Amino acid sequence: MGNEKEYIAIFDSHRELIDKPCARLLNTERAKALEIFKSSGFPGPKEENWLHTNVAKRFATDYGMNLGRVMAETGSHDIFICDVPNLNTHKAYIVNDSFRAADNKGKSLPQGVILDSLNEIAKKNPTLLEPYYNRLAGDGDSIAQFNTTFTQDGIVLYIPKNTTVEETIQIVALLQSNVEMMSNRRLLIILEENSKASLLLCDHSSLQKQTLSTQVTEIFIGRGASLDMYEVEETALTNTRLGHIFVHQDRDSRFKHSNITLTNGFTRNYVEVRLEGEGAETSINGLAIGDKKQHIDNRTIVDHKVSHCTSNELYKYILDEESTGVFAGRMLIRPGAQHSVSEQTNRNLCLTSCAHMYAQPQLEIYADDVKCSHGSTVGQLDENALFYMQQRGVPADEARHLLMYAFAGEVIEHIGIEALRDRLHMLVEKRFRGELNRCKGCNLCK
Amino acid sequence: MENLLEIKNLHATIDGKEILKGINLTVKAGEVHAIMGPNGSGKSTLSNVLVGHPAYTVTEGEVIYKGKNLLELAPEDRSHEGLFLSFQYPVEIPGVSITNFMRAAVNAKRQYLGLEPMNATEFLKMMREKRALVNLDSKLANRSVNEGFSGGEKKRNEIFQMAVLEPTLSILDETDSGLDIDALRIVAEGVNKLKREDTSSIVITHYQRLLDYIKPDIVHVLYNGKIVKTAGPELVMELEERGYDWIKNEN
Amino acid sequence: MKKKNSLLKKLANKAYEFGFVSKIKTDIIETGLNEDTVRLISEKKNEPEWLLEFRLQAYRHWLTLDMPTWAHLEIPSIDYQAISYYADPLKKNKENKNKEIDPELMKTFEKLGIPLEERLALSGTAVDAVMDSVSVKTTFKEELKEKGIIFCSMSEAIQEYPDLVRQYLGTVVNYRDNFYAALNTAVFSDGSFVYIPKGVRCPMELSTYFRINAANTGQFERTLIVADDDSYVSYLEGCTAPMRDENQLHAAIVEIVVMENAEVKYSTVQNWYPGDAEGKGGVYNFVTKRGDCRGRNSKLSWTQVETGSAITWKYPSCILRGDNSQGEFYSVALTNNYQQADTGTKMIHLGKNTRSTIISKGISAGKSQNSYRGLVRVSKNADGARNYSQCDSLLLGDKCGAHTFPYMDIHNNSAIVEHEATTSKISEDQLFYCNQRGIGTEEAIGLIVNGYAKEVLNKLPMEFAIEAQKLLSVSLEGAVG
């Protein structure tokens, strides 16, 4: 292993450059994370949490890192629209790792809501972010530490107490570069007591060059607050996405997360939900569609730290050609977390003999008065159903698409926004038919 | 006739809340008592307290059963002494067959009475006879206790167990709830067949319909944790006609 | 008002029934492990050169390994130099090749309910009794021989059937497999050897009874079962150990070869000393068990009832190599007090239309930790593979842990693999219902636990099943509260 040494060397020789444009809060945490990363390095291929996903190798490419904060000269956000038909959203962009405001045509968010550059807000109002920034990711794995070490900007979304944001907030994240490039993004989402919001995150990358993004998202959901969060990944085979989501839920809060991997290269999503207050509810769902040599690894932890919390989890994979799926879902019921209800379902379809699925649902239970279950299956489409449809005149291929579509549908149905559901149904159907997803008026797709 | 059960000024609480507020009731050998009353009056609490459910606390009063202080006995010993409760909601026990369950119950009782355990042949013969008595399907007997049973099957299984254990005092707690008229008749017939001169029953019910089949000697109305009226069987008809409101108004 | 759980509280602790020590003269070699120890063991057993070489290779490989740490177990560090690797309770009689059996030894096995005199034996069961490192007696050998069945101690097999042993030994569990497999291969002392010839159905249950007696010794037995084409055998294994304050190490290997159309049933009732209620003492049970279903239509079925040992690390596995071969794993693992268990199976589907079933029932009580860990792998060429896994956990009390770690690695699109897991507890309602019907709490728990485990207990041969039922109830005494 030498990769981590190279990155540490880059850091050491550019420290001033990295620190200079950044808020003190980012730099303080950066120093702590660096020490942890130095001692741990990248995860090895035999580490239990990284089985089947050799992440160190992904860092071997000689990526460019925009440490000097040179702004990409194209106004990418003007050409990359990523509209969801029939859905009005309040938009913001992250191009590579920098926040870019969007033209929301005069619309404004409710009073007190902040949707802005993480770095700028950390400079302007450090006391607001101090109780939150890196408070969850600080305990994260070495990739999360890597992100904290190198990150210079991202987005902060802050919703004050008793505030409901009616319109969906859409964050379009875009990787764009003419050279091999890495970006380390950071999202910080804070919902105070009894606030409510829904968030759509669209992840895209340019098609030609090798790109890698680490993205650490920390989410704090206050007492009685509610967040719906939908992530759609439509990147390219050349992309590596290493995403972390850390969620802290207070009493009676609600969190709903759906992660849809439509197209990608090498993806690892880590979701950790800490249920810290009684009565908290969480629902995390995922749909992964893989073909070619795509690699999709979803790892989740739902940590029931206190009693009377509920968690639900549904992850589905459809793997075609030579794609690889990894799912590891851990449900942890801590001592004393009585009356926890936790249910996890993982269903996987392998369509070819070159597709690989590794499933690892895990229960770790230290309290007796709980209701916990998990189920995991790997199988194929129902041959009787295929034949039945064929007998009624549906061509075999069409029948297969219909069944795959139905299989995927269960996850999409968890999405609370109708327009987005429709959009995803359409995208998934197109995806199965092998058509590229194109949104109107988007230069990238033309 | 001898007093089988004497309840004197019984007070009981659950989670600190007083439900029974001074019950007085005497059951003689051979009698059938009906306890009626509106929802929430304490009927189920009374039956649970009598069989020693740990969720309830007796705060005052005494219960003498067969001359013994009933409240000092463990629930299983109360059972061995011939006290049987047909539960309003019979519990499911996955993986434990009714046969094994009853064998354990019968032999525990025999041990308590200083008898040898029943041998397997004898036991199975007895099970067959009792099954016939209450028309319990033999297939049901091989299944796990109450698991996946319909409401009627669960109640019939309760009466079957009553037949096997031959109680001296049986308490039927809302045995009619959730039963259609056919199931009700079968259950009631079972109870009547099991009635002997020296055994007594307390039938707890909200409606009169079960009492069309099981004729009570004495009828009590329980309201707000106390027995507010005691009369002969004619009270059943009166309650059916007038409802419970006049009772509530009088108290 | 009675507190919640109060019904669960009144159980008293009952002593481990098999915890007595036998005063038997035992030939124990000095503690410590080096190449000379390996040579000494081999020499004591008068082994051929190839076997010594095999042991030495394993020993040298072992030196390069570390104890595995991936299991959900807290294993105190073990000083492998403080263990004696060979203890022989038989008196040597140089003139006579057959060793004489100490009458004390006969008594020990009788106390354990394992009579070594054939006339007293359980009907239809042949027994190989292993005390510490050495097989002391095998019953019904002659009757079995008439059918061509070989059932003897491993030491004897090495002398009498060296070619057979050499052909199969180490072909299912390579010494490179893991730390304890390497250790066992280097120092294994005795165990059972079974060979069922083509077309023979073994007319009686074969059984090995393991007993650790001597202090500071490890037991490293090695069992090899070969079922040739069209044969059948049912094999039972039972284990106990005395109560000692220090921990004892048991690192065994069981290898099973199942040829075309053959079937092997392997049942274990493991009741090594679990340590006391404070977690002191007890056996470390680190065992590698694996069967290779080499032939078409072969079948291997593992059934285990694990109630003993301070720490259990054990994954009886099936390599489903032959087309249409079948593997089964039925397990009840009960942990109480400070016991820890990490047990499960591996089903490796290599052949076409292979089938596997996993039924695991974990029961955790006291302050114990109980984990199921299992792998189902369907390789690229295993068309039509099917697996069904059901892993349930029952928790008694809120100080214990129950964990489920299944791994599914699927590399073939025609596979159907299903895994389900649930957790439950014994409810107060269930206990009270039993109480009302006159069944005491302790007995009620026994009933409910046995009901919960029934699916697995049903797979055991009759006499074993009854033993196992009792064992479950006894092991839970003092469990809850």
Side-chain angles (χ1 to χ4, degrees):
Chain A
M1 281 288 151
N3 280 347
E4 47 274 271
K5 288 211 185 79
E6 271 174 45
Y7 285 98
I8 291 164
I10 290 173
F11 184 89
D12 287 342
S13 53
H14 296 86
R15 181 149 203 170
E16 231 169 280
L17 191 63
I18 295 168
D19 279 352
K20 203 177 156 214
C22 293
R24 195 161 66 185
L25 179 59
L26 269 62
N27 293 336
T28 318
E29 295 303 321
R30 185 188 322 288
K32 292 185 204 162
L34 174 71
E35 289 315 308
I36 302 174
F37 179 71
K38 271 184 179 168
S39 64
S40 63
F42 290 121
K46 285 196 171 171
E47 265 179 51
E48 183 76 13
N49 288 337
W50 292 89
L51 290 174
H52 318 299
T53 294
N54 187 344
V55 71
K57 229 169 127 182
R58 311 305 299 182
F59 284 86
T61 306
D62 188 11
Y63 295 109
M65 293 167 90
N66 185 12
L67 302 174
R69 315 298 301 151
V70 180
M71 281 296 183
E73 81 280 8
T74 48
S76 318
H77 52 291
D78 295 332
I79 53 162
F80 194 77
I81 294 160
C82 204
D83 266 339
V84 177
N86 305 317
L87 182 67
N88 290 320
T89 62
H90 198 101
K91 275 206 184 87
Y93 293 94
I94 305 179
V95 178
N96 300 334
D97 59 358
S98 308
F99 174 82
R100 295 281 184 93
D103 176 9
N104 282 300
K105 301 185 177 78
K107 287 183 300 184
S108 62
L109 289 162
Q111 177 120 38
V113 173
I114 298 171
L115 176 65
D116 207 334
S117 153
L118 173 71
N119 191 35
E120 291 309 312
I121 299 298
K123 280 183 187 165
K124 271 191 247 166
N125 194 352
T127 50
L128 179 71
L129 302 191
E130 251 161 28
Y132 302 107
Y133 181 72
N134 209 33
R135 289 298 161 258
L136 302 176
D139 309 331
D141 61 28
S142 56
I143 301 298
Q145 302 303 339
F146 181 90
N147 175 282
T148 311
T149 304
F150 282 100
T151 198
Q152 292 173 293
D153 194 15
I155 272 188
V156 61
L157 170 62
Y158 167 81
I159 302 175
K161 64 179 175 187
N162 303 323
T163 305
T164 296
V165 183
E166 297 289 350
E167 205 162 77
T168 300
I169 296 163
Q170 184 181 15
I171 297 174
V172 179
L174 176 63
L175 276 177
Q176 208 191 14
S177 168
N178 302 322
V179 294
E180 278 75 22
M181 194 211 33
M182 171 190 296
S183 93
N184 299 295
R185 300 166 177 154
R186 194 79 179 203
L187 280 75
L188 182 57
I189 298 169
I190 303 155
L191 276 83
E192 286 189 346
E193 235 176 281
N194 299 320
S195 64
K196 193 174 176 207
S198 69
L199 179 64
L200 169 62
L201 276 146
C202 303
D203 196 8
H204 300 272
S205 74
S206 81
L207 301 169
Q208 295 88 14
K209 298 292 177 188
Q210 291 288 334
T211 47
L212 184 150
S213 72
T214 68
Q215 176 172 307
V216 170
T217 307
E218 292 175 284
I219 301 174
F220 295 83
I221 309 178
R223 192 172 178 153
S226 167
L227 176 67
D228 285 3
M229 178 169 167
Y230 309 107
E231 283 192 272
V232 182
E233 182 180 358
E234 290 178 90
T235 59
L237 270 177
T238 47
N239 186 49
T240 296
R241 169 188 152 110
L242 303 172
H244 287 73
I245 297 179
F246 298 89
V247 186
H248 167 108
Q249 283 188 252
D250 280 339
R251 195 184 178 111
D252 300 323
S253 63
R254 230 184 100 262
F255 177 60
K256 190 171 182 180
H257 181 244
S258 297
N259 186 319
I260 316 283
T261 308
L262 278 176
T263 51
N264 76 315
F266 183 99
T267 295
R268 153 85 165 205
N269 294 311
Y270 175 87
V271 180
E272 179 180 328
V273 180
R274 304 178 191 173
L275 300 169
E276 307 265 6
E278 291 183 8
E281 271 182 47
T282 207
S283 165
I284 53 178
N285 307 288
L287 173 66
I289 302 173
D291 59 12
K292 303 188 185 77
K293 287 190 185 258
Q294 285 170 235
H295 182 102
I296 307 164
D297 177 345
N298 283 297
R299 186 162 294 259
T300 68
I301 296 182
V302 178
D303 187 348
H304 286 252
K305 291 188 156 182
V306 296
S307 64
H308 293 98
C309 292
T310 303
S311 64
N312 263 296
E313 192 168 351
L314 172 68
Y315 271 80
K316 288 192 155 188
Y317 286 67
I318 300 171
L319 301 172
D320 203 352
E321 296 178 334
E322 293 173 59
S323 58
T324 299
V326 183
F327 172 76
R330 181 165 162 226
M331 301 190 320
L332 173 59
I333 313 287
R334 302 257 182 189
Q338 298 290 19
H339 306 286
S340 294
V341 176
S342 182
E343 195 185 319
Q344 182 192 79
T345 309
N346 166 235
R347 306 250 176 270
N348 312 298
L349 275 180
C350 286
L351 302 175
T352 72
S353 59
C354 297
H356 308 283
M357 182 69 213
Y358 301 93
Q360 208 187 320
Q362 301 170 42
L363 294 173
E364 212 176 320
I365 296 169
Y366 300 91
D368 61 337
D369 199 359
V370 298
K371 258 194 179 151
C372 300
S373 66
H374 69 210
S376 180
T377 59
V378 182
Q380 313 81 48
L381 299 172
D382 179 354
E383 300 216 342
N384 293 328
L386 280 176
F387 178 76
Y388 183 81
M389 284 196 266
Q390 279 176 274
Q391 203 281 322
R392 299 298 143 92
V394 182
D397 268 358
E398 187 64 25
R400 202 165 284 124
H401 285 145
L402 282 171
L403 287 180
M404 280 157 62
Y405 181 65
F407 180 85
E410 196 190 346
V411 179
I412 298 171
E413 284 309 312
H414 272 77
I415 290 171
I417 304 167
E418 195 186 346
L420 182 59
R421 266 202 312 270
D422 293 347
R423 172 76 175 162
L424 281 167
H425 276 304
M426 195 269 287
L427 290 177
V428 166
E429 197 183 337
K430 276 183 156 182
R431 173 74 172 79
F432 288 143
R433 291 178 200 287
E435 295 168 23
L436 266 180
N437 300 317
R438 287 171 192 278
C439 43
K440 277 178 211 154
C442 170
N443 274 2
L444 206 72
C445 297
K446 275 178 188 167
Chain B
M1 269 192 292
E2 189 184 330
N3 286 345
L4 180 63
L5 178 75
E6 266 180 275
I7 304 174
K8 292 178 195 162
N9 190 30
L10 184 65
H11 289 251
T13 61
I14 181 164
D15 296 331
K17 193 175 168 237
E18 184 166 66
I19 308 287
L20 300 185
K21 300 170 180 170
I23 301 266
N24 291 293
L25 177 70
T26 302
V27 178
K28 292 189 160 63
E31 285 178 347
V32 175
H33 287 238
I35 297 179
M36 303 183 71
N39 287 329
S41 58
K43 302 191 298 290
S44 284
T45 300
L46 177 60
S47 53
N48 278 311
V49 167
L50 289 178
V51 297
H53 194 288
Y56 298 87
T57 310
V58 173
T59 49
E60 211 183 321
E62 60 175 345
V63 181
I64 307 295
Y65 172 75
K66 288 184 175 171
K68 290 179 184 153
N69 180 354
L70 184 71
L71 301 177
E72 277 182 351
L73 297 178
E76 55 269 39
D77 292 341
R78 299 185 197 199
S79 171
H80 299 152
E81 290 286 352
L83 194 56
F84 182 93
L85 172 65
S86 169
F87 284 70
Q88 185 178 2
Y89 303 107
V91 182
E92 303 192 359
I93 310 177
V96 176
S97 76
I98 294 174
T99 305
N100 280 343
F101 181 60
M102 277 296 98
R103 183 182 293 131
V106 166
N107 285 332
K109 181 173 179 178
R110 292 178 68 92
Q111 194 185 355
Y112 181 82
L113 299 174
L115 301 170
E116 287 291 300
M118 222 180 220
N119 75 39
T121 333
E122 232 179 308
F123 177 76
L124 290 174
K125 184 165 161 269
M126 191 261 289
M127 289 286 279
R128 261 198 309 279
E129 289 165 8
K130 302 293 184 184
R131 246 186 353 243
L133 201 65
V134 294
N135 296 318
L136 188 82
D137 195 331
S138 61
K139 277 183 214 133
L140 224 50
N142 291 324
R143 280 169 48 189
S144 297
V145 179
N146 294 326
E147 195 185 31
F149 284 25
S150 70
E153 285 169 338
K154 280 184 184 170
K155 293 295 165 76
R156 208 183 303 177
N157 185 26
E158 293 290 286
I159 304 306
F160 164 70
Q161 294 179 34
M162 185 174 142
V164 172
L165 295 173
E166 299 178 329
T168 323
L169 175 61
S170 49
I171 305 166
L172 307 176
D173 188 2
E174 304 275 1
T175 295
D176 52 333
S177 69
L179 295 189
D180 63 33
I181 192 69
D182 292 332
L184 181 73
R185 196 177 306 130
I186 293 169
V187 166
E189 276 169 13
V191 173
N192 288 331
K193 276 189 220 168
L194 296 171
K195 178 83 184 73
R196 292 199 319 257
E197 259 177 35
D198 58 336
T199 64
S200 309
S201 311
I202 297 173
V203 182
I204 292 175
T205 184
H206 183 76
Y207 303 106
Q208 133 278 351
R209 62 179 200 148
L210 180 63
L211 301 175
D212 290 347
Y213 298 96
I214 302 172
K215 296 288 182 201
D217 303 307
I218 298 166
V219 180
H220 310 271
V221 177
L222 185 64
Y223 178 63
N224 201 17
K226 282 183 182 169
I227 288 180
V228 294
K229 204 165 183 61
T230 297
E234 69 284 353
L235 181 59
V236 178
M237 283 316 291
E238 193 175 355
L239 285 169
E240 186 63 15
E241 276 161 23
R242 298 176 63 187
Y244 289 107
D245 284 348
W246 61 281
I247 301 258
K248 290 183 192 172
N249 293 335
E250 278 178 19
N251 291 274
Chain C
M1 179 175 140
K2 279 194 188 176
K3 270 202 163 171
K4 215 173 175 224
N5 271 338
S6 62
L7 280 177
L8 291 168
K9 271 187 183 158
K10 39 178 152 164
L11 307 181
N13 213 342
K14 188 171 164 181
Y16 177 70
E17 204 180 337
F18 304 109
F20 58 87
V21 180
S22 308
K23 291 186 184 66
I24 295 164
K25 285 180 196 158
T26 303
D27 169 21
I28 302 182
I29 65 171
E30 274 178 39
T31 60
L33 180 55
N34 53 44
E35 286 207 7
D36 289 340
T37 324
V38 176
R39 286 176 202 282
L40 182 63
I41 292 169
S42 189
E43 190 190 308
K44 273 183 179 285
K45 303 180 81 64
N46 190 26
E47 286 177 352
E49 189 59 30
W50 65 266
L51 193 51
L52 175 62
E53 258 328 293
F54 180 60
R55 286 175 181 277
L56 288 171
Q57 265 178 13
Y59 172 72
R60 285 164 200 151
H61 182 66
W62 179 74
L63 290 176
T64 69
L65 301 175
D66 294 319
M67 270 168 66
T69 53
W70 40 260
H72 193 89
L73 299 171
E74 275 180 37
I75 306 176
S77 72
I78 296 172
D79 182 357
Y80 290 92
Q81 299 305 329
I83 294 170
S84 167
Y85 288 84
Y86 189 80
D88 181 351
L90 297 178
K91 281 189 272 175
K92 272 255 160 145
N93 184 336
K94 286 204 175 142
E95 267 91 81
N96 192 343
K97 205 177 143 223
N98 289 325
K99 293 172 183 176
E100 182 184 309
I101 298 180
D102 185 334
E104 275 293 322
L105 195 64
M106 294 290 265
K107 270 195 225 155
T108 299
F109 278 94
E110 256 166 54
K111 267 205 234 175
L112 294 168
I114 312 294
L116 297 182
E117 287 176 59
E118 287 176 8
R119 61 185 169 83
L120 297 175
L122 298 169
S123 57
T125 306
V127 178
D128 182 22
V130 178
M131 167 89 85
D132 297 331
S133 306
V134 173
S135 169
V136 291
K137 165 100 189 191
T138 309
T139 60
F140 292 106
K141 231 157 44 175
E142 294 308 312
E143 280 91 326
L144 292 168
K145 214 171 182 176
E146 280 167 26
K147 296 214 162 219
I149 295 168
I150 302 169
F151 178 40
C152 63
S153 71
M154 185 58 95
S155 318
E156 195 179 332
I158 289 162
Q159 304 302 326
E160 306 284 324
Y161 315 98
D163 295 342
L164 261 183
V165 173
R166 193 172 184 178
Q167 189 182 344
Y168 293 105
L169 190 74
T171 63
V172 183
V173 179
N174 188 287
Y175 66 82
R176 295 180 169 274
D177 193 82
N178 67 69
F179 180 86
Y180 305 111
L183 177 64
N184 174 288
T185 307
V187 302
F188 75 90
S189 38
D190 214 335
S192 300
F193 176 75
V194 176
Y195 176 79
I196 315 287
K198 282 186 180 152
V200 172
R201 280 187 71 86
C202 183
M204 57 180 87
E205 309 272 354
L206 301 185
S207 165
T208 302
Y209 196 86
F210 295 102
R211 170 81 179 166
I212 302 179
N213 192 50
N216 298 321
T217 55
Q219 179 154 328
F220 305 93
E221 86 271 0
R222 184 144 190 146
T223 292
L224 174 59
I225 299 173
V226 180
D228 217 327
D229 297 352
D230 305 297
S231 66
Y232 167 84
V233 64
S234 168
Y235 184 91
L236 318 172
E237 172 199 74
C239 347
T240 58
M243 289 159 73
R244 292 186 187 283
D245 283 349
E246 66 275 16
N247 299 103
Q248 289 172 297
L249 178 63
H250 173 247
I253 290 181
V254 174
E255 294 181 278
I256 301 177
V257 179
V258 196
M259 307 301 280
E260 207 165 303
N261 296 317
E263 181 178 351
V264 176
K265 282 177 82 163
Y266 193 105
S267 311
T268 305
V269 173
Q270 185 265 106
N271 187 25
W272 295 117
Y273 178 54
D276 67 11
E278 268 68 56
K280 201 167 181 200
V283 171
Y284 294 163
N285 189 33
F286 303 151
V287 174
T288 307
K289 292 184 168 180
R290 191 172 305 152
D292 188 353
C293 289
R294 278 185 200 171
R296 287 172 58 88
N297 307 319
S298 54
K299 184 175 174 186
L300 172 58
S301 180
W302 298 101
T303 305
Q304 61 173 27
V305 176
E306 302 279 317
T307 60
S309 297
I311 305 177
T312 298
W313 180 98
K314 179 182 169 187
Y315 315 91
S317 305
C318 298
I319 299 167
L320 302 170
R321 195 184 302 277
D323 290 349
N324 309 322
S325 58
Q326 288 183 52
E328 294 177 340
F329 175 74
Y330 295 95
S331 169
V332 174
L334 184 153
T335 53
N336 194 1
N337 298 321
Y338 285 88
Q339 280 177 273
Q340 304 177 63
D342 193 297
T343 184
T345 184
K346 291 189 215 172
M347 294 290 175
I348 312 292
H349 292 257
L350 301 174
K352 296 192 183 359
N353 300 313
T354 44
R355 302 262 185 284
S356 62
T357 305
I358 299 170
I359 306 288
S360 163
K361 303 272 183 179
I363 301 156
S364 327
K367 297 189 168 114
S368 67
Q369 298 297 331
N370 196 333
S371 304
Y372 165 82
R373 187 181 303 277
L375 168 68
V376 175
R377 176 175 290 145
V378 177
S379 70
K380 195 167 159 46
N381 298 319
D383 293 345
R386 298 283 178 274
N387 162 269
Y388 175 74
S389 307
Q390 167 86 42
C391 302
D392 296 329
S393 309
L394 184 69
L395 291 114
L396 303 174
D398 57 1
K399 300 281 186 293
C400 51
H403 320 300
T404 314
F405 304 109
Y407 300 66
M408 298 155 72
D409 294 0
I410 313 301
H411 305 276
N412 182 297
N413 62 317
S414 61
I416 295 182
V417 176
E418 291 175 74
H419 170 93
E420 282 174 45
T422 61
T423 56
S424 54
K425 62 174 230 162
I426 296 181
S427 72
E428 293 291 320
D429 286 347
Q430 286 174 328
L431 287 181
F432 183 70
Y433 189 75
C434 294
N435 287 161
Q436 207 293 314
R437 297 298 134 95
I439 301 165
T441 301
E442 194 169 310
E443 200 185 347
I445 290 173
L447 256 183
I448 293 167
V449 166
N450 275 302
Y452 165 80
K454 195 163 76 180
E455 214 178 334
V456 174
L457 298 179
N458 281 347
K459 295 285 164 186
L460 287 171
M462 188 62 132
E463 276 151 12
F464 246 41
I466 295 165
E467 274 309 301
Q469 275 190 15
K470 281 189 210 151
L471 201 53
L472 285 181
S473 302
V474 168
S475 304
L476 274 175
E477 282 179 7
V480 261

